[in-house]
Amino acid sequence: MPATIIVGTQWGDEGKGRFTDLFAKEMHLVVRYQGGHNAGHTLVVDGETFALQLIPSGVLYPHITPVIGNGVVVDPAVLLDEVAMLEARSIDCSRLKVSGNAHLILPYHQLIDRVTERHLGKNALGTTKRGIGPAYADKAARVGLRVQDLYDRDIFREKLALVLKDKAPMLAKVYNQLSPSVDEICARYLDDLAPRLQPYVADTINLVHDALEAGQHVLFEGAQATFLDLDHGTYPFVTSSNPVSGGACTGAGVGPLHINRVVGVAKAYVTRVGAGPFPTELTDEVGEAIVERGHEFGTNTGRKRRPGWFDAVMLRHAVRVNSLSEVAITKLDVLDAFDEVRVCVAYEVDGTRLDHLPDSQSVLHRVTPVYETFPGWGSDLTDATEPGHLPSRVHDYVTFLEQQVGVPIRLLGVGPGRDQYVQLSS
Ligand code: IMP
């Protein structure tokens, strides 16, 4: 029952999509298990760039069934637009399956996300304003509406009326905003979106288990990342779901014994969008150079990402909380132009060295990184396709990273193209 999870090990935007796409060749199912259209997975296929928000990256392969699991929050309009965008580019989406248990993002979720961020002022979290947090909050409060509710008009209307009884006055009185009415939402969701979504709605739990029992390969594709995880991230500067590997179990309906490979994806440096602590952040010209060379601007929101050096302390933590069996490094080529490359191996606070992530966030805010510095390799890695093409300084750097994190580094991304990677061991 070969099941693999691919998970981000930093603050997102590690380039998970490109490895998902690489693994997809041998997969039958690719399953998204959390998040929503806050994700942005960029894939470059035959020189064409695809930016996916909600549909699993495997959709680009005709032999794969892309699955949106129960743990995802779905804005049906966004999903249908994405299907239309892909089909206009001759990508067949008819195999797509969406769990009836997935929760819906409704118009008031997006409204609440926007106004609460504005209300927080300088304390804003920097969310993607897609309604993700408010939709998950309603799920936890047991007032969410699910995809399956779209197909029971009475239930949908009844649940919606109940929720809006609270939300509409709250939006009006606290935030001076008008929520769409029950009738307006019903017209849009039940009359327009529901019939168009219906062909994709499926029992995804049994679909995944049938595939596993038939010995088919299933890839669980995480969105966002370990340090944006609601439980394991830098709370409250996190997303509202569980991107860690355990999230695949709850968000797709499989137990941990089904999983036999967990691949953590890490960029050769670190970026983060939105607010929150970031020990290795670079606010100087080196950071600017990373942003420029790495095109570090949000796929979805266009926001400039905050850059920093590679943080092995974070990655060691990510190895633990995800049970990573291996690591894949992306964007190594972005560092080609640097005279020296740094790796944070520990933190220091009040004269004490910390080899682990502190469990107190107040301490995390105060740590300073302890760096090891490596000479740059001074050559262009973008054409490298096998280990022999890599300069010895790159091998030294990667071996060092491997020792730091304690699990094998099996893949190195050296450019955005589908074939721009080096496999180090199998
Ligand atoms: P939300 O997921 O929109 O609620 O945003 C919460 C935090 O997660 C913010 O700091 C966002 O910038 C961050 N975030 C959400 N999705 C992504 C992503 O796909 N990549 C990187 N950061 C993300």
Side-chain angles (χ1 to χ4, degrees), residues 98-116:
V98 181
S99 167
N101 286 353
H103 277 247
L104 292 169
I105 297 186
L106 290 146
Y108 48 84
H109 291 135
Q110 200 151 353
L111 201 53
I112 292 170
D113 203 352
R114 256 189 268 131
V115 294
T116 49

Side-chain angles (χ1 to χ4, degrees), residues 22-23 26 260-261 263 325-327 385-387 402 407-412 421-426:
L22 176 69
F23 297 152
E26 60 202 38
N260 33 31
R261 185 181 180 199
V263 181
S325 48
E326 64 199 85
V327 166
T385 52
E386 47 186 86
E402 210 165 50
V407 294
I409 294 176
R410 295 208 198 279
L411 288 160
L412 300 177
Y421 69 92
V422 176
Q423 181 134 14
L424 293 176
S425 55
S426 54

